[in-house]
Amino acid sequence: MRILIAFFIPWLTFFTIGRPIAGIICLVLQITILGWIPAAIWALLALRSYDEAR
C-alpha cells in the first residue's frame, strides 16, 4: 500500500515513515509537474531504505 502512496502522493510517504521535514520538501518539489517524477523516485527510495532498516 505504501508503494502506491509513494507513487501517487510522494510527500505523504515521508510523513508515514516519520520524516516530516522531507515530506514538506517533497511537497514543494511535487508542486511542479516536472518535479513529480523526481519526488516519486525519492519517495520510493526512501521507502525502500526504511523497509530495509526495519
Side-chain angles (χ1 to χ4, degrees), residues 1-21:
M1 186 65 174
R2 282 187 176 168
I3 293 174
L4 290 174
I5 292 172
F7 185 73
F8 290 111
I9 312 169
W11 60 271
L12 187 59
T13 302
F14 290 103
F15 285 99
T16 63
I17 63 174
R19 295 177 57 192
I21 302 298

Side-chain angles (χ1 to χ4, degrees), residues 9-53:
I9 312 169
W11 60 271
L12 187 59
T13 302
F14 290 103
F15 285 99
T16 63
I17 63 174
R19 295 177 57 192
I21 302 298
I24 293 170
I25 294 169
C26 188
L27 178 62
V28 170
L29 181 63
Q30 186 182 344
I31 288 173
T32 65
I33 298 298
L34 294 176
W36 188 285
I37 294 170
I41 293 170
W42 181 26
L44 288 170
L45 291 175
L47 183 61
R48 187 178 74 183
S49 68
Y50 173 76
D51 287 338
E52 288 176 359

